[in-house]
């Protein structure tokens, strides 16, 4: 075979051939290879096959030798690539087997170093193509074994730029996508893209296409289009016409799932025409499948049936079993729509059998969800009489385990943004479950559903592997395009675990989480019923996915904050708003409630209109003062009543009254769902016709998910008794920002506020204060309070931390609560995970949680670097906005995770005293924010901080009722809430 610079076969180099021809075999082979490759890139696959076949016929006429056999193997390997591009799977299987046989036959033949490398390169390509072929025909385990064999061979191959390694990695990504393991696929694709050299001109665009498919399959359409656009640029640069045309189908798929059905139809039709001309029948079948779905949505039942039949026939002819099963699943939906129940069952079961055999368990869950939806639809259409309960039970037995599995798939993703987008897709399945439970009038099941949903994700400080899968349109089921993506190339590679830089890149992205703890439906420790235990067991058995952590926590967590009656209220979003409540502390009872989606959304919108928006700056604050409902007593009272009518059951109000009359003012512990996390529950006008508010009847505290409670206190926290110092961080000076800038002073010049000076003096008189100051003025606008200082003082032990300053909340639509930051005196060079702002690096919730683990091999978790004292006050804009996110890992909950027992934080952007002076023309002597800070400080010194803060809020409410003055408006004081676990 070719070695050094010799031509092993042929008559030497023809001086008239293309100067770019690689010289390996002599003519006509070298120029023939080049011509076939140009045809391949130009999407003339039939022409490329013809060239290769002509060369193969010539090679077979030459006297047999190891060199000639290698030439034939090389030609067959290239032909396999073209067959795969044309989705001629039978042809690809034939040429791949023949190539592999020839390579094995000459494996022991003498060859020089260059010849050995050429042999290894063609062998790797043959193995990778074989894996691709096995993947497309649904033999995923065999494909994995083929990739493993390639990975074993790879170290022998001289691959200085990592080109073959990246191709193997791409094939691994495709295999993960076919298994529905979206999180793992995204991790590896992102890591590969970051480490693949620019010289890998064919691999880079296909990695981008894979990432685009992953994003569009998991609801992230803007990032998907960005990936497709970048891939298109790369395809155009290398002249890959086929790659450019296949992007039409991928963009059509994204448009379809965005709801842009006309655009999707147009793009699919254009792509179909190209694929039919080129005889790329696999890609054509994918488009026909999608167009059948769209035809069904348009009401064109006949057109849908014809397209489905064509798609299924093509897939079966190609041997693409998984893609054929996808078409059968879609056909099952159409069969149900036309009333053919037997055909629907046959097709659905046939599809499920394929998924089960291929171990594509999330697709099995999708089939089960479709069956549950059809049962629900049938219940809506027909009277099941005495059998209704049995029909509902059957639907739940399908729907609930499947919904749990799909919801749990989010834990495979590396970033909270990806997980939040996934949840938007998976939430449709959980809404179905809540509807069925409501229909069954099963209060116990509703209770357990809410408890499981409210348990919250667990922070995973170890780097865990991913896996996930998509959920389709709620009205129907359409297979994900990425489940049957075709990589038009023979390349692909990967090992189950990436090494080196790639592994670091993949593992360190975002904040990883794990499934929630199991919720024990009893306050006592020891064995007992776990919420949804039979459904969790069914989901884990059927779909081979961990649904809940083995650790079990009681649904009811008593604490030392109160000895009076207490009711725990939890809220869960599932279309409608579902509420559960349970009494303890001398009172007994429980209940459930349900708020219609439209009413809840309308009330929440009215509240949002009354609040200063986080991204609106000074204009948003001005609007809240001038036009907001919270700035005028009459409009505020109407808003409070609207919120109560939409969110609060009258039955619970009656129970609170009864308990209060018999045992004193109870404590209401509320764990809000993300949709209602900004609601000031204290303000709810719970009586129609009177101005009785919830806070008039009870003390109110916000609770965070139980998963945030640390398993054991940090070492420093264990020392935080009542004798430790109070840590005061009061309006720290942010580097690079003047006092009158956006991150400037919030309290004014040091010493200018007598109330705050008195607060500091009172703390000095009562005991140790950190930082050490001689006069109260020295505690304000300091320049030495950075993250290292904070770590040092917290590690030494403290009984309280009070922070008053700037907080920058994370955008809710981004899904990443851990991006919330507070602003100390840290310079930009400080070590941390947040991006610098000018000459300043903020301290993020991600820092508080992960610490230095992502930054150093010997890093420590945040709970060791910044152990939180028992009581923490974070008085800044929306410092308690964590609970607005599906995953609560913001500043307030990070403090709870790090050991705090209680955190006082704010629900929305706070108006400063300066804002009251400027926007409401209050005199300089009136300082509402200072009064609030003093109230929080006083509460944190009290044995019962919740009752103390609630007492101050009741005083403010009484003043508001009496005079309606803006300084007593709930715009400020109702933003404050205590958060516990």
């Amino acid at each position: 075979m070719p070695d050094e610079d010799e031509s092993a076969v042929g008559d030497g180099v023809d001086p008239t051939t293309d100067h770019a021809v690689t010289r390996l075999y002599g003519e006509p082979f070298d120029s023939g290879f080049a011509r076939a490759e140009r045809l391949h890139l130009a999407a003339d696959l039939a022409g490329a096959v013809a060239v290769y076949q002509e060369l193969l016929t010539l090679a077979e006429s030459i006297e047999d030798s190891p060199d000639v056999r290698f030439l034939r193997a090389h030609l067959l390997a290239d032909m396999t690539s073209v067959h795969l591009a044309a989705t001629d799977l039978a042809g690809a299987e034939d040429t791949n087997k023949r190539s592999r046989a020839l390579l094995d036959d000459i494996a022991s033949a003498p060859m020089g170093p260059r010849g050995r490398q050429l042999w290894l390169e063609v062998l790797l390509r043959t193995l990778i193509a074989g894996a691709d072929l096995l993947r497309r025909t649904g033999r995923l385990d065999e494909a994995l074994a083929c990739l493993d064999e390639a990975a074993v061979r790879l170290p022998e191959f001289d691959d200085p730029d990592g080109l073959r390694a990246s191709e193997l990695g791409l094939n691994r990504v495709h295999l993960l996508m076919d298994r529905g393991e979206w999180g793992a696929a995204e991790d590896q694709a992102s890591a590969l893209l970051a480490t693949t050299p620019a010289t890998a001109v064919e691999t880079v665009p296909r990695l981008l296409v894979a990432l685009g498919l992953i994003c569009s399959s998991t609801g992230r359409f803007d990032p998907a289009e960005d990936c497709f656009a970048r891939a298109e640029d790369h395809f155009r640069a290398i002249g890959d016409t086929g790659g450019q045309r296949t992007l039409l189908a991928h963009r059509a798929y994204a448009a379809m799932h965005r709801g842009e059905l006309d655009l999707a139809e147009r793009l699919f039709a254009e792509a179909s025409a190209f694929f039919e001309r080129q005889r790329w029948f696999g890609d054509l079948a994918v488009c026909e499948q999608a167009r059948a779905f769209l035809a069904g949505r348009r009401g064109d039942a006949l057109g849908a049936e014809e397209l489905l039949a064509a798609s299924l026939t093509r897939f079966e002819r190609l041997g693409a079993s998984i893609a054929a099963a996808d078409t059968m699943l879609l056909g099952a939906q159409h069969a149900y729509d036309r009333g053919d129940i037997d055909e629907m069952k046959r097709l659905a079961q046939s599809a499920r059998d394929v998924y089960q055999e291929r171990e594509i368990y999330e697709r099995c869950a999708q089939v089960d969800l479709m069956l549950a939806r059809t049962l629900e639809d049938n219940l809506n259409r027909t009277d099941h009489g005495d059998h209704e309960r049995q029909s509902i039970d059957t639907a739940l037995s399908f729907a609930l385990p499947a919904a749990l599995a799909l919801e749990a798939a989010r834990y495979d993703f590396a970033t909270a943004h990806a997980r939040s987008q996934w949840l938007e897709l998976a939430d449709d399945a959980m809404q179905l479950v809540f509807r069925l439970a409501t229909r069954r009038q099963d209060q116990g099941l509703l209770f357990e559903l809410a408890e499981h949903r409210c348990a919250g994700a667990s922070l995973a400080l170890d780097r865990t592997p991913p896996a996930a899968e998509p959920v389709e349109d709620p009205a129907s089921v359409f297979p994900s395009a990425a489940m049957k993506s075709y990589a038009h190339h023979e390349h692909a590679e990967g090992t189950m675990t990436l090494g080196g830089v790639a592994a670091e890149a993949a593992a360190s992205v975002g904040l990883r989480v794990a499934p929630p703890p199991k919720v024990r439906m009893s306050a006592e420790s020891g064995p007992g019923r776990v919420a949804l235990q039979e459904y969790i067991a069914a989901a884990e058995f059927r779909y081979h996915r961990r649904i809940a952590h083995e650790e079990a926590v009681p649904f009811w967590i008593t604490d030392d904050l109160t000895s009076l009656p207490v009711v725990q209220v939890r809220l869960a979003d599932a279309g409608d708003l579902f509420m559960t409540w349970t009494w303890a502390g001398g009172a007994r009872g429980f209940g459930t409630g349900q708020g219609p989606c439209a009413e809840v959304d309308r009330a929440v919108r009215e509240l949002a209109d009354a609040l200063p928006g986080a991204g609106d700056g000074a204009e948003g604050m001005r609007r809240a003062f001038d036009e907001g409902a919270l700035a005028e007593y009459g409009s505020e009272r109407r808003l409070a009543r609207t919120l109560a009518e939409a969110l609060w059951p009258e039955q619970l109000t009656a129970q609170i009254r009864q308990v209060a009359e018999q045992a004193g003012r109870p404590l209401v512990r509320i764990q809000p769902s993300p949709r209602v996390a900004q609601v000031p529950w204290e303000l709810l006008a719970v009586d129609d016709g009177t101005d009785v508010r919830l806070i008039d009847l009870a003390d109110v505290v916000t609770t965070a998910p139980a998963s945030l409670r640390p398993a054991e206190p940090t070492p420093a926290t264990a020392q935080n008794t009542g004798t430790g110092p109070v840590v005061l961080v009061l309006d720290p000076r942010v580097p690079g920002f003047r006092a009158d800038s956006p991150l400037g002073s919030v309290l004014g010049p040091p010493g200018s506020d007598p109330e705050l000076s008195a607060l500091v003096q009172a703390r000095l008189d009562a005991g140790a204060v950190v930082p050490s100051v001689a006069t109260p003025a020295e505690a304000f606008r300091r320049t030495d309070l950075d993250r290292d200082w904070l770590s040092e003082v917290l590690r030494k032990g403290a009984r309280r931390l009070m922070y008053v300053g700037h907080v920058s909340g994370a955008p809710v639509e981004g899904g990443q609560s851990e991006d919330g930051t507070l602003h100390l005196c840290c310079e930009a060079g400080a070590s941390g995970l947040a991006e610098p702002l000018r000459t300043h690096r903020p301290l993020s919730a991600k820092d508080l949680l992960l610490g230095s683990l992502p930054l150093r091999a010997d890093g420590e978790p945040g709970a060791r670097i910044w152990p939180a004292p028992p009581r923490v006050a974070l008085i800044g804009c929306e410092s308690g906005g964590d609970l607005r996110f599906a995953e609560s890992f913001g500043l307030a909950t990070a403090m709870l995770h790090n050991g705090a027992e209680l955190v006082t934080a704010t629900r929305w952007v706070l108006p400063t005293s300066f804002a009251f002076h400027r926007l409401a023309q209050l005199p300089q002597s009136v300082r509402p924010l200072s009064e609030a800070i003093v109230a929080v400080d006083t509460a944190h010194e009290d044995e019962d901080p919740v009752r103390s803060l609630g007492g101050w809020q009741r005083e403010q409410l009484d003043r508001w009722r009496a005079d309606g003055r803006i300084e007593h408006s709930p715009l400020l004081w109702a933003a404050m809430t205590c958060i516990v676990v």
Side-chain angles (χ1 to χ4, degrees):
M1 63 197 63
D3 202 23
E4 306 308 326
D5 293 320
E6 300 175 0
S7 297
V9 183
D11 301 321
V13 177
D14 183 344
T16 65
T17 57
D18 191 327
H19 69 278
V21 171
T22 302
R23 299 176 181 179
L24 284 177
Y25 305 103
E27 290 303 326
F29 295 104
D30 291 342
S31 59
F33 272 106
R35 185 166 69 258
E37 185 174 349
R38 287 195 300 273
L39 290 168
H40 187 169
L41 286 174
D44 184 357
L45 304 186
V49 169
V51 172
Y52 284 128
Q53 187 61 58
E54 180 183 343
L55 294 174
L56 183 62
T57 301
L58 179 59
E60 289 172 342
S61 69
I62 301 174
E63 183 179 353
D64 187 42
S65 70
D67 290 340
V68 171
R69 270 174 268 168
F70 178 74
L71 168 61
R72 289 160 55 197
H74 191 169
L75 287 165
L76 289 165
D78 282 10
M79 288 178 72
T80 301
S81 169
V82 180
H83 286 314
L84 286 172
T87 57
D88 177 5
L89 303 187
E93 185 165 15
D94 174 65
T95 52
N96 185 257
K97 285 182 177 179
R98 290 162 62 193
S99 176
R100 179 63 193 272
L102 287 165
L103 290 168
D104 288 345
D105 187 52
I106 61 173
S108 58
M111 58 186 82
R114 183 166 181 253
R116 181 67 177 176
Q117 288 300 303
L118 287 171
W119 179 85
L120 280 169
E121 180 172 18
V122 176
L123 177 64
L124 285 170
R125 290 175 52 205
T126 301
L127 288 168
I128 292 167
D132 193 17
L133 175 67
L134 290 165
R135 176 182 65 82
R136 297 193 200 190
T137 52
R139 292 171 284 177
L140 304 186
D141 288 339
E142 295 174 63
L144 176 61
C146 209
L147 289 178
D148 288 343
E149 184 180 355
V152 169
R153 290 286 193 177
L154 186 62
E156 304 174 45
F157 181 61
D158 184 13
D159 191 25
D161 293 328
L163 301 184
R164 291 288 173 257
S166 65
E167 291 160 3
L168 263 172
L170 174 60
N171 210 302
R172 171 69 66 184
V173 168
H174 286 146
L175 184 58
L176 291 169
M177 290 163 66
D178 275 11
R179 286 198 183 279
E181 298 179 14
W182 302 107
E186 183 172 17
D187 275 358
Q188 293 205 16
S190 299
L192 281 167
L193 191 61
T195 56
T196 296
T199 50
V201 293
E202 295 174 348
T203 304
V204 169
R206 288 178 168 78
L207 275 171
L208 288 165
V209 168
L211 278 169
L213 286 169
I214 292 166
C215 289
S216 59
S217 297
T218 53
R220 290 167 287 159
F221 301 113
D222 289 341
E225 176 52 34
D226 177 66
C227 289
F228 292 152
R230 292 164 62 195
E232 186 173 30
D233 290 341
H234 283 278
F235 283 136
R236 187 180 296 112
I238 62 176
D240 189 341
T241 303
Q244 294 176 66
R245 304 302 286 182
T246 56
L247 282 172
L248 285 171
H250 299 325
R251 283 177 162 136
Y253 168 77
M256 184 173 66
H257 280 268
R258 272 199 312 268
E260 299 176 11
L261 303 189
D262 290 341
L263 174 61
E265 179 69 53
R266 180 174 62 79
L267 292 174
F268 274 128
E270 188 178 347
S272 295
F274 173 79
F275 295 145
E276 190 162 19
R277 285 197 306 271
Q278 300 300 319
R279 303 179 63 80
W280 295 10
F281 295 125
D283 295 277
L284 178 60
V286 172
C287 290
E288 289 169 335
Q289 187 186 76
R291 293 176 66 197
F293 172 81
L294 293 170
R297 292 294 295 271
R298 290 196 311 270
D300 180 7
L302 181 60
E305 291 300 322
E306 290 176 349
L307 286 164
L308 278 174
S311 173
L312 183 58
T313 299
R314 293 188 201 281
F315 282 136
E316 288 177 340
R317 187 181 298 136
L318 291 168
S321 60
I322 295 174
D326 292 342
T327 300
M328 285 188 279
L329 185 57
L330 185 55
Q333 181 68 53
H334 284 282
Y336 177 78
D337 290 342
R338 66 174 184 266
D340 191 344
I341 304 301
D342 290 338
E343 179 68 0
M344 182 272 289
K345 290 179 179 178
R346 184 189 72 80
L347 288 171
Q349 189 59 54
S350 297
R352 199 185 194 288
D353 289 344
V354 172
Y355 299 143
Q356 187 76 35
E357 180 185 359
R358 306 305 188 192
E359 299 180 355
I360 308 175
Y361 297 113
E362 275 75 17
R363 305 298 275 177
C364 294
Q366 185 176 318
V367 177
D368 294 345
L369 271 174
M370 190 202 75
L371 294 172
R373 287 192 185 102
T374 56
L375 279 169
E376 182 197 32
D377 181 65
N378 191 260
L379 282 163
N380 292 335
R381 294 184 187 187
T382 61
D383 181 6
H384 284 229
D386 294 339
H387 299 289
E388 176 155 334
R389 177 62 181 251
Q390 182 180 351
S391 297
I392 297 172
D393 289 347
T394 301
L396 275 168
S397 71
F398 283 119
L400 185 41
L404 290 171
L406 292 174
E407 188 176 62
R410 80 182 199 261
Y411 302 117
D412 301 329
F413 289 95
T415 68
H417 174 67
R419 291 191 294 271
S420 69
Q421 295 299 302
W422 175 263
L423 270 183
E424 289 185 17
L425 298 174
D427 194 54
D428 174 65
M430 195 56 73
Q431 289 183 33
L432 168 64
V433 169
F434 272 88
R435 288 197 304 272
L436 290 169
T438 301
R439 187 172 198 138
R440 195 166 76 170
Q441 298 181 332
D442 192 335
Q443 199 174 38
L445 179 57
L446 286 169
F447 210 101
E448 292 191 9
L449 282 167
E451 291 298 325
H452 177 79
R453 291 210 93 185
C454 291
S458 306
L459 181 64
L461 292 178
D462 57 333
R463 290 172 176 174
T464 54
E469 110 104 312
V471 182
E472 277 67 38
D473 185 282
S476 183
V477 177
F478 182 75
S480 162
M483 293 297 295
K484 49 194 176 296
S485 61
Y486 293 102
H488 296 291
H489 206 265
E490 74 277 18
H491 303 322
E493 191 260 90
T495 53
M496 186 58 79
T497 303
L498 296 174
V501 176
E504 276 303 306
S508 63
V509 173
L511 190 74
R512 284 208 177 276
V513 297
K518 292 180 178 178
V519 181
R520 196 168 56 246
M521 301 304 293
S522 167
E524 292 78 28
S525 59
R529 177 170 176 79
V530 168
L532 306 178
Q533 62 183 29
E534 61 269 35
Y535 297 105
I536 290 173
E540 292 183 343
F541 175 77
R542 290 179 194 171
Y543 312 120
H544 297 250
R545 175 175 291 285
R546 173 65 66 190
I547 303 301
H549 196 277
E550 281 303 316
E551 175 193 359
V553 298
F555 84 99
W556 176 249
I557 305 167
T558 57
D559 52 39
D560 298 328
L561 293 176
T562 179
S563 59
L564 294 174
V566 55
V567 59
Q568 174 69 59
V569 179
R570 300 200 203 279
L571 295 115
D573 291 323
D576 290 349
L577 181 69
F578 292 85
M579 174 187 285
T580 66
W581 67 86
T582 310
W583 285 93
R588 302 178 70 85
F590 65 92
T592 60
Q594 182 176 355
C597 179
E599 293 180 22
V600 172
D601 287 347
R602 182 167 55 251
V604 170
R605 277 197 303 271
E606 289 188 29
L607 173 63
D609 290 342
L611 300 177
D616 296 340
E619 177 57 27
M621 189 63 70
R622 184 204 61 75
R623 188 170 58 249
F625 272 83
D626 291 349
E627 307 166 15
L630 295 181
E632 193 273 323
Y633 174 67
S635 59
E636 180 274 326
R637 180 178 171 181
R638 287 191 295 274
L639 174 60
R641 184 59 191 157
T642 298
L643 290 168
E645 289 175 340
L647 307 178
W648 199 258
E650 294 181 0
Q651 180 187 358
L652 180 53
T653 301
Q655 292 179 8
I656 291 172
R657 285 186 183 279
Q658 183 180 1
V659 169
E661 291 170 0
Q662 297 177 359
R665 185 189 302 277
L667 174 68
V668 179
R669 291 169 49 109
I670 299 178
Q671 181 178 339
S673 67
R675 180 165 41 166
V676 295
Q678 281 193 307
V679 170
W681 302 98
E682 300 85 353
L683 281 185
L684 298 191
V686 292
D687 272 353
D688 189 12
T690 70
D691 193 25
V692 175
R693 310 297 182 98
L694 182 58
I695 200 171
D696 291 321
L697 305 177
D699 291 316
V700 181
V701 66
T702 300
T703 60
S707 61
L708 291 166
R709 184 168 7 107
E712 56 187 39
T714 60
T717 304
Q719 306 169 11
N720 293 341
T721 63
T723 59
V726 176
V727 179
L728 297 177
V729 182
L730 303 177
D731 200 10
R733 196 181 301 272
V734 179
F737 291 87
R738 299 185 338 179
D740 60 352
S741 68
L743 291 181
S745 176
V746 297
L747 298 178
S752 64
D753 190 323
E755 291 177 89
L756 295 181
S757 294
L759 179 155
V760 176
Q761 188 61 57
R763 297 286 74 80
L764 289 169
D765 294 342
V769 171
V770 177
S772 178
V773 295
T775 65
E778 295 178 18
F780 299 90
R781 299 294 289 160
R782 295 182 68 93
T783 60
D784 57 348
L785 310 183
D786 62 12
R787 67 191 65 205
D788 294 333
W789 169 87
L790 184 63
S791 172
E792 181 181 353
V793 299
L794 293 181
R795 283 182 190 248
K796 290 179 180 177
R799 65 184 181 88
R800 281 183 50 203
L801 166 63
M802 172 171 273
Y803 172 85
V804 182
H806 285 286
V807 169
S808 297
V812 174
E813 59 273 14
Q816 300 190 167
S817 59
E818 69 270 19
D819 289 342
T821 60
L822 52 82
H823 298 273
L824 300 173
C825 304
C826 307
E827 301 284 348
S831 178
L833 302 174
E835 290 296 320
L837 300 173
R838 298 183 189 173
T839 59
H840 161 64
R841 188 185 299 276
L843 180 66
S844 68
K846 189 187 292 187
D847 288 307
L848 294 174
L849 292 166
L850 298 185
S852 56
L853 288 175
L855 302 174
R856 301 200 314 265
D858 60 345
E860 295 181 284
R864 292 183 186 171
I865 300 175
W866 296 284
R871 294 180 182 179
V872 175
L874 298 175
I875 303 178
C877 292
E878 207 176 343
S879 57
D882 318 25
L883 299 178
R884 297 180 67 194
F885 294 79
E887 294 175 0
S888 301
F889 291 111
L891 293 169
T893 44
M895 289 294 182
L896 292 170
H897 177 272
N898 287 8
E901 297 168 3
L902 176 143
V903 177
T904 299
T906 65
R907 296 177 171 118
W908 57 75
V909 175
L910 282 183
T912 62
S913 295
F914 177 72
F916 279 94
H917 300 155
R918 182 170 58 88
L919 299 175
Q921 291 75 51
L922 289 184
Q924 296 289 324
S925 59
V926 179
R927 300 180 179 87
L929 179 58
S930 299
E931 184 179 353
I933 294 168
V934 171
V936 172
D937 177 72
T938 302
H940 279 221
E941 290 293 322
D942 194 276
E943 182 179 353
D944 189 342
V946 174
R947 174 148 296 193
S948 175
L949 185 62
W952 173 72
Q953 289 176 317
R954 277 185 286 275
E955 292 174 5
Q956 296 299 107
L957 177 60
D958 289 341
R959 294 173 183 170
W960 177 238
R961 288 185 181 121
D963 58 28
R965 292 179 60 84
I966 189 66
E967 60 264 39
H968 304 137
S969 162
L971 190 61
L972 174 63
W973 59 263
M976 305 286 181
T977 185
C978 293
I979 305 174
V980 299
V981 178

